[in-house]
Amino acid sequence: MIRRRVVRAVLAALFALCALTAYESAKTEALMADAANRFLESLDRMQRMGTVFAMDSEERTNWHYFPEPGFTDEYGYVRNGITFKDMDPKQRHLAYGLLSTGLGRAGFVKTMNVMALEEIVRAIEDDQTGYRDTERFHFTFFGEPGMTGDWGWRVEGHHVSLHYFVRDGKLVASSPTFLGANPHEVPQGLHKGMRALEREEDMARALLVSLDAGQRKQAIFDKQAPYDIVTMADKRAKLDGEPQGIAASELSPNQYQDLLALIGEYAATMPPEVAARRMKAAAQTPKGELFFGWAGDIDRPAAMPIEIGSKTTENRHLAGNYYRIQSPTFLIEFANTQNQSNHSHAVWREFEGDFGYDVLAAHYQGDGHGAETVAAD
């Protein structure tokens, strides 16, 4: 009962933020633009090369969550943007300041934990090649930061991919929002038991367990989880119009509140006003069009110690764990199958809004251009 009151209080606070959107929005974007400009001013000419691109560059929609060499091997080109490794101490502080403007407090801590896992997995795998590297997170910019016109930025590396698009002083796009965790649960050593995506796992499982037999039959759409999130790093999210699982209309009032709370956990990665917009969209979705679907086992194997020098990828748990939450406008995916279900990926996608596609489409149509121009980016 106490937990439900807390959940309702959190949701009420998020909705209350909508009334402050104009003030908070201006405050966030002003901080973001100021932090971006301070950081960019600290870069020399060579550092800006490969870091700053035109707003209409195809680079803006090139994204992935693979480690550095894996990204290059998969796509045949390097991941652009200046990394922590290439920054002096002052620039690192400015970079962290910028990153903090694009995340809520919980989201900032979660992102730092994800980055810290790179050192933990490096030690477990005894990697001496640089494949695992806490300093290989890239900052990339598009256009000129300010309170007028279009500009954007991205922070990306292994298991982190955050994207922002600002138009005339308003943050109009903040997806895809991707975070992952390897190990999902640290199995040994000083940080044993640490889970960077703990609530994403526990809240979803609690919702599934709360379902009765008939509801669970609707919710579980496959006995085996997909190997990864289904949308992967596609420029446009798949699954539009293809929901699976149980509709929110089939949930009890308490179960529906638990579903909203789970959505809220993902929304809260972003700054408060962005989280409020995401939660407003979720709450306004007709219950018959909001779905929770699960694939694979309900539980996952206990995290077992790994022999030092062993890989923490592949070695799939046969059934695995996967769930998604889908509405007509947004999609949440969570997958945990690799390393015997101890390697997780989680993402928030917007079917039309990723990278600001919907805003740009309206702009091109207003200028007499076709929306196809945007989709081909």
Side-chain angles (χ1 to χ4, degrees), residues 313-367:
T313 55
E314 302 175 351
N315 190 25
R316 175 195 168 97
H317 174 211
L318 185 60
N321 301 124
Y322 171 90
Y323 68 82
R324 67 174 175 252
I325 301 168
Q326 184 168 345
S327 82
T329 59
F330 69 87
L331 172 72
I332 292 170
E333 287 193 274
F334 177 96
N336 188 359
T337 65
Q338 294 184 62
N339 192 23
Q340 289 298 296
S341 288
N342 199 25
H343 181 146
S344 55
H345 295 162
V347 70
W348 178 296
R349 302 292 305 261
E350 302 278 349
F351 287 120
E352 299 298 331
D354 279 353
F355 308 107
Y357 273 135
D358 52 350
V359 175
L360 288 172
H363 170 74
Y364 282 120
Q365 288 172 346
D367 284 351

CSV table of all heavy atoms in Angstrom, one decimal, residues 313-367:
chain,number,residue,atom,x,y,z
A,313,THR,N,30.1,-11.9,-23.4
A,313,THR,CA,29.1,-11.8,-24.5
A,313,THR,C,28.8,-13.2,-25.0
A,313,THR,O,29.4,-14.2,-24.7
A,313,THR,CB,29.6,-10.9,-25.6
A,313,THR,OG1,30.9,-11.5,-26.1
A,313,THR,CG2,29.8,-9.5,-25.2
A,314,GLU,N,27.7,-13.3,-25.9
A,314,GLU,CA,27.3,-14.5,-26.4
A,314,GLU,C,26.9,-15.5,-25.2
A,314,GLU,O,26.3,-15.0,-24.3
A,314,GLU,CB,28.3,-15.1,-27.3
A,314,GLU,CG,28.7,-14.2,-28.5
A,314,GLU,CD,29.8,-14.7,-29.4
A,314,GLU,OE1,30.4,-15.7,-29.0
A,314,GLU,OE2,30.0,-14.1,-30.4
A,315,ASN,N,27.2,-16.8,-25.3
A,315,ASN,CA,26.9,-17.7,-24.2
A,315,ASN,C,25.4,-17.5,-23.7
A,315,ASN,O,25.2,-17.3,-22.6
A,315,ASN,CB,27.8,-17.5,-23.0
A,315,ASN,CG,27.7,-18.6,-22.0
A,315,ASN,OD1,27.3,-19.7,-22.3
A,315,ASN,ND2,28.1,-18.3,-20.8
A,316,ARG,N,24.5,-17.5,-24.7
A,316,ARG,CA,23.1,-17.2,-24.5
A,316,ARG,C,22.4,-18.1,-23.5
A,316,ARG,O,22.6,-19.3,-23.5
A,316,ARG,CB,22.4,-17.2,-25.8
A,316,ARG,CG,20.9,-17.0,-25.7
A,316,ARG,CD,20.2,-17.3,-27.0
A,316,ARG,NE,18.7,-17.4,-26.7
A,316,ARG,CZ,17.9,-16.4,-27.0
A,316,ARG,NH1,18.4,-15.3,-27.6
A,316,ARG,NH2,16.6,-16.5,-26.7
A,317,HIS,N,21.6,-17.6,-22.6
A,317,HIS,CA,20.7,-18.3,-21.8
A,317,HIS,C,19.6,-18.8,-22.8
A,317,HIS,O,19.0,-17.9,-23.5
A,317,HIS,CB,20.1,-17.5,-20.7
A,317,HIS,CG,19.0,-18.1,-19.9
A,317,HIS,ND1,18.0,-17.3,-19.3
A,317,HIS,CD2,18.7,-19.4,-19.6
A,317,HIS,CE1,17.2,-18.1,-18.7
A,317,HIS,NE2,17.6,-19.4,-18.9
A,318,LEU,N,19.3,-20.1,-22.8
A,318,LEU,CA,18.4,-20.6,-23.8
A,318,LEU,C,17.1,-19.9,-24.0
A,318,LEU,O,16.7,-19.5,-25.1
A,318,LEU,CB,18.1,-22.1,-23.6
A,318,LEU,CG,17.3,-22.8,-24.6
A,318,LEU,CD1,18.0,-22.8,-26.0
A,318,LEU,CD2,17.1,-24.3,-24.2
A,319,ALA,N,16.4,-19.6,-22.9
A,319,ALA,CA,15.1,-18.9,-22.9
A,319,ALA,C,15.3,-17.4,-22.9
A,319,ALA,O,14.7,-16.7,-23.6
A,319,ALA,CB,14.2,-19.4,-21.8
A,320,GLY,N,16.1,-17.0,-21.9
A,320,GLY,CA,16.4,-15.5,-21.8
A,320,GLY,C,15.2,-14.8,-21.2
A,320,GLY,O,14.2,-15.3,-20.8
A,321,ASN,N,15.4,-13.5,-21.1
A,321,ASN,CA,14.3,-12.5,-20.6
A,321,ASN,C,14.2,-11.4,-21.6
A,321,ASN,O,15.2,-10.8,-22.0
A,321,ASN,CB,14.7,-11.9,-19.2
A,321,ASN,CG,14.9,-13.0,-18.1
A,321,ASN,OD1,16.0,-13.0,-17.5
A,321,ASN,ND2,13.9,-13.8,-17.9
A,322,TYR,N,13.0,-11.0,-21.8
A,322,TYR,CA,12.7,-9.9,-22.7
A,322,TYR,C,11.3,-9.4,-22.4
A,322,TYR,O,10.4,-10.1,-22.1
A,322,TYR,CB,12.8,-10.4,-24.2
A,322,TYR,CG,12.3,-9.3,-25.2
A,322,TYR,CD1,13.1,-8.4,-25.8
A,322,TYR,CD2,10.9,-9.3,-25.6
A,322,TYR,CE1,12.7,-7.5,-26.7
A,322,TYR,CE2,10.5,-8.3,-26.5
A,322,TYR,CZ,11.4,-7.4,-27.1
A,322,TYR,OH,10.9,-6.5,-28.0
A,323,TYR,N,11.2,-8.0,-22.5
A,323,TYR,CA,9.8,-7.5,-22.4
A,323,TYR,C,9.8,-6.2,-23.3
A,323,TYR,O,10.9,-5.6,-23.5
A,323,TYR,CB,9.3,-7.2,-21.0
A,323,TYR,CG,10.0,-6.1,-20.2
A,323,TYR,CD1,9.7,-4.8,-20.4
A,323,TYR,CD2,11.0,-6.4,-19.3
A,323,TYR,CE1,10.3,-3.8,-19.7
A,323,TYR,CE2,11.7,-5.4,-18.6
A,323,TYR,CZ,11.3,-4.1,-18.8
A,323,TYR,OH,11.9,-3.1,-18.1
A,324,ARG,N,8.6,-5.8,-23.6
A,324,ARG,CA,8.5,-4.5,-24.3
A,324,ARG,C,7.1,-3.9,-23.9
A,324,ARG,O,6.2,-4.6,-23.5
A,324,ARG,CB,8.6,-4.6,-25.8
A,324,ARG,CG,7.5,-5.4,-26.5
A,324,ARG,CD,7.8,-5.2,-28.0
A,324,ARG,NE,7.0,-6.0,-28.9
A,324,ARG,CZ,7.3,-7.1,-29.6
A,324,ARG,NH1,8.6,-7.5,-29.5
A,324,ARG,NH2,6.5,-7.7,-30.4
A,325,ILE,N,7.1,-2.6,-23.9
A,325,ILE,CA,5.9,-1.8,-23.7
A,325,ILE,C,5.7,-1.0,-24.9
A,325,ILE,O,6.6,-0.3,-25.4
A,325,ILE,CB,6.1,-0.9,-22.4
A,325,ILE,CG1,6.4,-1.7,-21.2
A,325,ILE,CG2,4.9,0.0,-22.2
A,325,ILE,CD1,6.9,-0.9,-20.0
A,326,GLN,N,4.5,-1.0,-25.5
A,326,GLN,CA,4.3,-0.4,-26.7
A,326,GLN,C,3.0,0.4,-26.8
A,326,GLN,O,1.9,-0.1,-26.3
A,326,GLN,CB,4.3,-1.4,-27.9
A,326,GLN,CG,4.2,-0.9,-29.3
A,326,GLN,CD,4.4,-1.9,-30.3
A,326,GLN,OE1,5.0,-3.0,-30.0
A,326,GLN,NE2,4.1,-1.6,-31.5
A,327,SER,N,3.1,1.6,-27.3
A,327,SER,CA,1.9,2.4,-27.6
A,327,SER,C,1.9,2.8,-29.0
A,327,SER,O,2.9,2.5,-29.7
A,327,SER,CB,1.9,3.6,-26.7
A,327,SER,OG,2.7,4.7,-27.2
A,328,PRO,N,1.0,3.5,-29.5
A,328,PRO,CA,1.1,3.9,-31.0
A,328,PRO,C,2.2,4.9,-31.2
A,328,PRO,O,2.6,5.1,-32.3
A,328,PRO,CB,-0.3,4.6,-31.2
A,328,PRO,CG,-1.2,4.0,-30.2
A,328,PRO,CD,-0.4,3.7,-29.0
A,329,THR,N,2.7,5.5,-30.1
A,329,THR,CA,3.8,6.6,-30.3
A,329,THR,C,5.1,6.2,-29.8
A,329,THR,O,6.1,6.7,-30.4
A,329,THR,CB,3.3,7.9,-29.7
A,329,THR,OG1,3.1,7.7,-28.3
A,329,THR,CG2,2.0,8.4,-30.3
A,330,PHE,N,5.2,5.4,-28.8
A,330,PHE,CA,6.5,5.0,-28.2
A,330,PHE,C,6.7,3.6,-28.0
A,330,PHE,O,5.7,2.8,-27.9
A,330,PHE,CB,6.8,5.8,-26.9
A,330,PHE,CG,5.9,5.4,-25.7
A,330,PHE,CD1,6.3,4.3,-24.9
A,330,PHE,CD2,4.8,6.0,-25.4
A,330,PHE,CE1,5.6,3.9,-23.8
A,330,PHE,CE2,4.0,5.6,-24.4
A,330,PHE,CZ,4.4,4.6,-23.6
A,331,LEU,N,7.9,3.1,-27.8
A,331,LEU,CA,8.3,1.7,-27.6
A,331,LEU,C,9.4,1.6,-26.6
A,331,LEU,O,10.4,2.4,-26.7
A,331,LEU,CB,8.7,1.1,-28.9
A,331,LEU,CG,9.3,-0.3,-28.9
A,331,LEU,CD1,8.2,-1.3,-28.6
A,331,LEU,CD2,10.0,-0.7,-30.2
A,332,ILE,N,9.2,0.7,-25.6
A,332,ILE,CA,10.3,0.4,-24.7
A,332,ILE,C,10.6,-1.1,-24.9
A,332,ILE,O,9.7,-1.9,-25.0
A,332,ILE,CB,9.8,0.6,-23.2
A,332,ILE,CG1,9.6,2.1,-22.9
A,332,ILE,CG2,10.8,0.0,-22.2
A,332,ILE,CD1,8.9,2.4,-21.6
A,333,GLU,N,11.9,-1.3,-25.0
A,333,GLU,CA,12.4,-2.7,-25.1
A,333,GLU,C,13.5,-3.0,-24.0
A,333,GLU,O,14.3,-2.1,-23.7
A,333,GLU,CB,13.0,-3.0,-26.4
A,333,GLU,CG,12.0,-3.1,-27.6
A,333,GLU,CD,12.7,-3.7,-28.8
A,333,GLU,OE1,13.3,-2.9,-29.6
A,333,GLU,OE2,12.6,-5.0,-29.0
A,334,PHE,N,13.4,-4.2,-23.5
A,334,PHE,CA,14.4,-4.7,-22.5
A,334,PHE,C,14.8,-6.1,-22.8
A,334,PHE,O,13.9,-7.0,-23.0
A,334,PHE,CB,13.9,-4.6,-21.1
A,334,PHE,CG,14.9,-5.1,-20.0
A,334,PHE,CD1,15.7,-4.3,-19.3
A,334,PHE,CD2,14.9,-6.5,-19.7
A,334,PHE,CE1,16.6,-4.7,-18.3
A,334,PHE,CE2,15.7,-7.0,-18.7
A,334,PHE,CZ,16.6,-6.1,-18.0
A,335,ALA,N,16.0,-6.4,-23.0
A,335,ALA,CA,16.5,-7.8,-23.3
A,335,ALA,C,17.6,-8.2,-22.5
A,335,ALA,O,18.6,-7.4,-22.2
A,335,ALA,CB,16.9,-7.9,-24.8
A,336,ASN,N,17.6,-9.4,-22.0
A,336,ASN,CA,18.7,-9.9,-21.1
A,336,ASN,C,18.9,-11.4,-21.4
A,336,ASN,O,18.2,-12.2,-20.8
A,336,ASN,CB,18.4,-9.7,-19.6
A,336,ASN,CG,19.6,-10.0,-18.8
A,336,ASN,OD1,20.6,-10.4,-19.2
A,336,ASN,ND2,19.4,-9.8,-17.5
A,337,THR,N,19.7,-11.7,-22.4
A,337,THR,CA,19.9,-13.1,-22.8
A,337,THR,C,21.4,-13.5,-22.8
A,337,THR,O,21.7,-14.6,-22.5
A,337,THR,CB,19.3,-13.4,-24.2
A,337,THR,OG1,20.0,-12.6,-25.2
A,337,THR,CG2,17.9,-13.0,-24.2
A,338,GLN,N,22.3,-12.6,-23.2
A,338,GLN,CA,23.7,-12.9,-23.3
A,338,GLN,C,24.3,-13.2,-22.0
A,338,GLN,O,23.8,-12.8,-20.9
A,338,GLN,CB,24.5,-11.8,-24.0
A,338,GLN,CG,24.1,-11.6,-25.5
A,338,GLN,CD,25.0,-10.5,-26.1
A,338,GLN,OE1,26.2,-10.6,-26.1
A,338,GLN,NE2,24.4,-9.4,-26.5
A,339,ASN,N,25.4,-13.9,-22.0
A,339,ASN,CA,26.2,-14.2,-20.7
A,339,ASN,C,25.2,-14.9,-19.7
A,339,ASN,O,25.2,-14.5,-18.5
A,339,ASN,CB,26.8,-12.9,-20.1
A,339,ASN,CG,27.8,-13.2,-19.0
A,339,ASN,OD1,28.3,-14.3,-18.9
A,339,ASN,ND2,28.0,-12.2,-18.2
A,340,GLN,N,24.4,-15.8,-20.2
A,340,GLN,CA,23.5,-16.5,-19.3
A,340,GLN,C,22.5,-15.5,-18.6
A,340,GLN,O,22.3,-15.6,-17.4
A,340,GLN,CB,24.2,-17.4,-18.3
A,340,GLN,CG,24.8,-18.6,-18.9
A,340,GLN,CD,23.8,-19.6,-19.6
A,340,GLN,OE1,22.9,-20.1,-18.9
A,340,GLN,NE2,23.9,-19.7,-20.9
A,341,SER,N,21.9,-14.7,-19.5
A,341,SER,CA,21.0,-13.6,-19.0
A,341,SER,C,21.6,-12.8,-17.9
A,341,SER,O,21.0,-12.5,-16.9
A,341,SER,CB,19.7,-14.3,-18.5
A,341,SER,OG,18.9,-14.7,-19.5
A,342,ASN,N,22.9,-12.3,-18.2
A,342,ASN,CA,23.5,-11.4,-17.3
A,342,ASN,C,24.2,-10.3,-18.1
A,342,ASN,O,25.4,-9.9,-17.8
A,342,ASN,CB,24.6,-12.1,-16.4
A,342,ASN,CG,25.0,-11.3,-15.2
A,342,ASN,OD1,24.2,-10.4,-14.7
A,342,ASN,ND2,26.1,-11.5,-14.7
A,343,HIS,N,23.5,-9.8,-19.1
A,343,HIS,CA,24.0,-8.8,-20.0
A,343,HIS,C,22.8,-8.2,-20.7
A,343,HIS,O,22.1,-8.8,-21.5
A,343,HIS,CB,24.9,-9.5,-21.1
A,343,HIS,CG,25.5,-8.5,-22.1
A,343,HIS,ND1,26.8,-8.7,-22.6
A,343,HIS,CD2,25.0,-7.4,-22.7
A,343,HIS,CE1,27.0,-7.8,-23.5
A,343,HIS,NE2,26.0,-6.9,-23.5
A,344,SER,N,22.4,-7.0,-20.2
A,344,SER,CA,21.1,-6.4,-20.6
A,344,SER,C,21.2,-5.2,-21.4
A,344,SER,O,22.1,-4.4,-21.4
A,344,SER,CB,20.3,-6.1,-19.3
A,344,SER,OG,21.0,-5.2,-18.4
A,345,HIS,N,20.1,-5.0,-22.2
A,345,HIS,CA,20.0,-3.8,-23.1
A,345,HIS,C,18.6,-3.2,-22.9
A,345,HIS,O,17.6,-4.0,-22.8
A,345,HIS,CB,20.1,-4.2,-24.6
A,345,HIS,CG,21.5,-4.7,-24.9
A,345,HIS,ND1,21.7,-5.4,-26.1
A,345,HIS,CD2,22.7,-4.5,-24.3
A,345,HIS,CE1,23.0,-5.7,-26.2
A,345,HIS,NE2,23.6,-5.2,-25.1
A,346,ALA,N,18.5,-1.9,-22.8
A,346,ALA,CA,17.2,-1.3,-22.6
A,346,ALA,C,17.1,0.0,-23.4
A,346,ALA,O,18.1,0.8,-23.5
A,346,ALA,CB,17.0,-0.9,-21.1
A,347,VAL,N,16.0,0.3,-24.0
A,347,VAL,CA,15.9,1.4,-24.9
A,347,VAL,C,14.5,2.0,-24.9
A,347,VAL,O,13.5,1.3,-24.7
A,347,VAL,CB,16.2,1.0,-26.4
A,347,VAL,CG1,15.2,0.1,-27.0
A,347,VAL,CG2,16.5,2.2,-27.3
A,348,TRP,N,14.4,3.3,-25.1
A,348,TRP,CA,13.1,4.0,-25.3
A,348,TRP,C,13.2,4.6,-26.8
A,348,TRP,O,14.1,5.3,-27.1
A,348,TRP,CB,12.9,5.2,-24.3
A,348,TRP,CG,11.7,6.0,-24.5
A,348,TRP,CD1,11.4,6.8,-25.6
A,348,TRP,CD2,10.6,6.1,-23.6
A,348,TRP,NE1,10.2,7.4,-25.5
A,348,TRP,CE2,9.7,7.0,-24.2
A,348,TRP,CE3,10.3,5.6,-22.4
A,348,TRP,CZ2,8.5,7.4,-23.6
A,348,TRP,CZ3,9.1,6.0,-21.7
A,348,TRP,CH2,8.2,6.8,-22.4
A,349,ARG,N,12.2,4.2,-27.6
A,349,ARG,CA,12.2,4.7,-29.0
A,349,ARG,C,10.8,5.5,-29.2
A,349,ARG,O,9.8,5.2,-28.5
A,349,ARG,CB,12.2,3.5,-30.0
A,349,ARG,CG,13.4,2.6,-29.9
A,349,ARG,CD,14.7,3.3,-30.3
A,349,ARG,NE,14.7,3.9,-31.7
A,349,ARG,CZ,15.2,3.3,-32.8
A,349,ARG,NH1,15.7,2.1,-32.7
A,349,ARG,NH2,15.2,3.9,-33.9
A,350,GLU,N,10.9,6.4,-30.1
A,350,GLU,CA,9.7,7.1,-30.6
A,350,GLU,C,9.5,6.7,-32.0
A,350,GLU,O,10.4,6.9,-32.8
A,350,GLU,CB,9.8,8.6,-30.4
A,350,GLU,CG,10.1,9.1,-29.0
A,350,GLU,CD,8.9,9.2,-28.2
A,350,GLU,OE1,7.8,9.1,-28.7
A,350,GLU,OE2,9.0,9.4,-26.9
A,351,PHE,N,8.3,6.2,-32.4
A,351,PHE,CA,8.1,5.7,-33.7
A,351,PHE,C,8.2,6.8,-34.8
A,351,PHE,O,8.8,6.6,-35.9
A,351,PHE,CB,6.7,5.1,-33.9
A,351,PHE,CG,6.6,3.8,-33.2
A,351,PHE,CD1,5.7,3.6,-32.1
A,351,PHE,CD2,7.4,2.7,-33.5
A,351,PHE,CE1,5.6,2.3,-31.5
A,351,PHE,CE2,7.3,1.5,-32.9
A,351,PHE,CZ,6.4,1.3,-31.9
A,352,GLU,N,7.8,8.0,-34.5
A,352,GLU,CA,8.0,9.2,-35.4
A,352,GLU,C,9.0,10.2,-34.9
A,352,GLU,O,9.5,11.0,-35.7
A,352,GLU,CB,6.6,9.8,-35.6
A,352,GLU,CG,5.6,8.9,-36.3
A,352,GLU,CD,6.0,8.4,-37.6
A,352,GLU,OE1,6.7,9.1,-38.3
A,352,GLU,OE2,5.5,7.3,-38.0
A,353,GLY,N,9.2,10.2,-33.6
A,353,GLY,CA,10.0,11.3,-33.0
A,353,GLY,C,11.5,11.0,-32.8
A,353,GLY,O,12.2,12.0,-32.5
A,354,ASP,N,12.0,9.8,-33.1
A,354,ASP,CA,13.4,9.6,-32.9
A,354,ASP,C,14.2,10.6,-33.8
A,354,ASP,O,13.8,10.8,-35.0
A,354,ASP,CB,13.8,8.2,-33.4
A,354,ASP,CG,13.5,7.1,-32.3
A,354,ASP,OD1,13.2,7.5,-31.2
A,354,ASP,OD2,13.7,5.9,-32.6
A,355,PHE,N,15.2,11.2,-33.2
A,355,PHE,CA,16.1,12.2,-33.9
A,355,PHE,C,15.3,13.4,-34.4
A,355,PHE,O,15.8,14.2,-35.2
A,355,PHE,CB,16.8,11.5,-35.2
A,355,PHE,CG,17.5,10.3,-34.9
A,355,PHE,CD1,17.0,9.0,-35.3
A,355,PHE,CD2,18.7,10.3,-34.2
A,355,PHE,CE1,17.6,7.9,-35.0
A,355,PHE,CE2,19.4,9.1,-33.9
A,355,PHE,CZ,18.8,7.9,-34.4
A,356,GLY,N,14.1,13.6,-33.9
A,356,GLY,CA,13.3,14.7,-34.4
A,356,GLY,C,12.7,14.5,-35.8
A,356,GLY,O,12.3,15.5,-36.4
A,357,TYR,N,12.5,13.3,-36.2
A,357,TYR,CA,11.9,13.0,-37.5
A,357,TYR,C,10.6,13.7,-37.8
A,357,TYR,O,10.3,14.3,-38.8
A,357,TYR,CB,11.7,11.5,-37.7
A,357,TYR,CG,12.9,10.8,-38.2
A,357,TYR,CD1,13.3,9.6,-37.7
A,357,TYR,CD2,13.7,11.3,-39.3
A,357,TYR,CE1,14.4,8.8,-38.1
A,357,TYR,CE2,14.8,10.6,-39.8
A,357,TYR,CZ,15.2,9.4,-39.2
A,357,TYR,OH,16.3,8.7,-39.6
A,358,ASP,N,9.7,13.6,-36.7
A,358,ASP,CA,8.4,14.2,-36.9
A,358,ASP,C,8.4,15.7,-37.1
A,358,ASP,O,7.8,16.3,-38.0
A,358,ASP,CB,7.4,13.8,-35.8
A,358,ASP,CG,8.0,14.2,-34.4
A,358,ASP,OD1,9.2,14.5,-34.3
A,358,ASP,OD2,7.3,14.1,-33.4
A,359,VAL,N,9.3,16.4,-36.3
A,359,VAL,CA,9.5,17.8,-36.4
A,359,VAL,C,10.0,18.2,-37.8
A,359,VAL,O,9.6,19.1,-38.4
A,359,VAL,CB,10.3,18.3,-35.3
A,359,VAL,CG1,10.6,19.8,-35.4
A,359,VAL,CG2,9.7,18.1,-33.9
A,360,LEU,N,11.1,17.5,-38.2
A,360,LEU,CA,11.7,17.8,-39.5
A,360,LEU,C,10.8,17.5,-40.6
A,360,LEU,O,10.8,18.2,-41.6
A,360,LEU,CB,13.0,17.0,-39.6
A,360,LEU,CG,14.2,17.4,-38.7
A,360,LEU,CD1,15.3,16.4,-38.8
A,360,LEU,CD2,14.6,18.8,-39.1
A,361,ALA,N,10.0,16.4,-40.5
A,361,ALA,CA,9.0,16.1,-41.6
A,361,ALA,C,8.0,17.3,-41.8
A,361,ALA,O,7.7,17.7,-42.9
A,361,ALA,CB,8.3,14.8,-41.3
A,362,ALA,N,7.5,17.8,-40.6
A,362,ALA,CA,6.6,18.9,-40.7
A,362,ALA,C,7.3,20.2,-41.3
A,362,ALA,O,6.7,20.9,-42.1
A,362,ALA,CB,6.1,19.3,-39.3
A,363,HIS,N,8.5,20.3,-41.0
A,363,HIS,CA,9.3,21.5,-41.6
A,363,HIS,C,9.4,21.3,-43.1
A,363,HIS,O,9.2,22.3,-43.8
A,363,HIS,CB,10.7,21.5,-40.9
A,363,HIS,CG,11.6,22.5,-41.5
A,363,HIS,ND1,11.5,23.9,-41.4
A,363,HIS,CD2,12.7,22.3,-42.3
A,363,HIS,CE1,12.4,24.5,-42.0
A,363,HIS,NE2,13.2,23.6,-42.6
A,364,TYR,N,9.8,20.1,-43.5
A,364,TYR,CA,10.0,19.9,-45.0
A,364,TYR,C,8.7,20.1,-45.7
A,364,TYR,O,8.7,20.6,-46.8
A,364,TYR,CB,10.7,18.6,-45.2
A,364,TYR,CG,12.1,18.6,-44.9
A,364,TYR,CD1,12.7,17.7,-44.0
A,364,TYR,CD2,13.0,19.4,-45.6
A,364,TYR,CE1,14.1,17.7,-43.7
A,364,TYR,CE2,14.4,19.4,-45.4
A,364,TYR,CZ,14.9,18.5,-44.5
A,364,TYR,OH,16.2,18.5,-44.2
A,365,GLN,N,7.6,19.5,-45.1
A,365,GLN,CA,6.3,19.7,-45.8
A,365,GLN,C,5.9,21.1,-45.9
A,365,GLN,O,5.4,21.5,-46.9
A,365,GLN,CB,5.3,18.8,-45.0
A,365,GLN,CG,5.5,17.3,-45.2
A,365,GLN,CD,4.6,16.5,-44.3
A,365,GLN,OE1,4.0,17.1,-43.4
A,365,GLN,NE2,4.5,15.2,-44.5
A,366,GLY,N,6.2,21.9,-44.9
A,366,GLY,CA,5.9,23.3,-44.9
A,366,GLY,C,6.7,24.1,-45.9
A,366,GLY,O,6.2,25.1,-46.5
A,367,ASP,N,7.9,23.5,-46.3
A,367,ASP,CA,8.7,24.2,-47.3
A,367,ASP,C,8.4,23.6,-48.7
A,367,ASP,O,9.2,23.9,-49.6
A,367,ASP,CB,10.2,24.0,-46.9
A,367,ASP,CG,10.6,24.9,-45.8
A,367,ASP,OD1,9.8,25.8,-45.4
A,367,ASP,OD2,11.7,24.7,-45.3
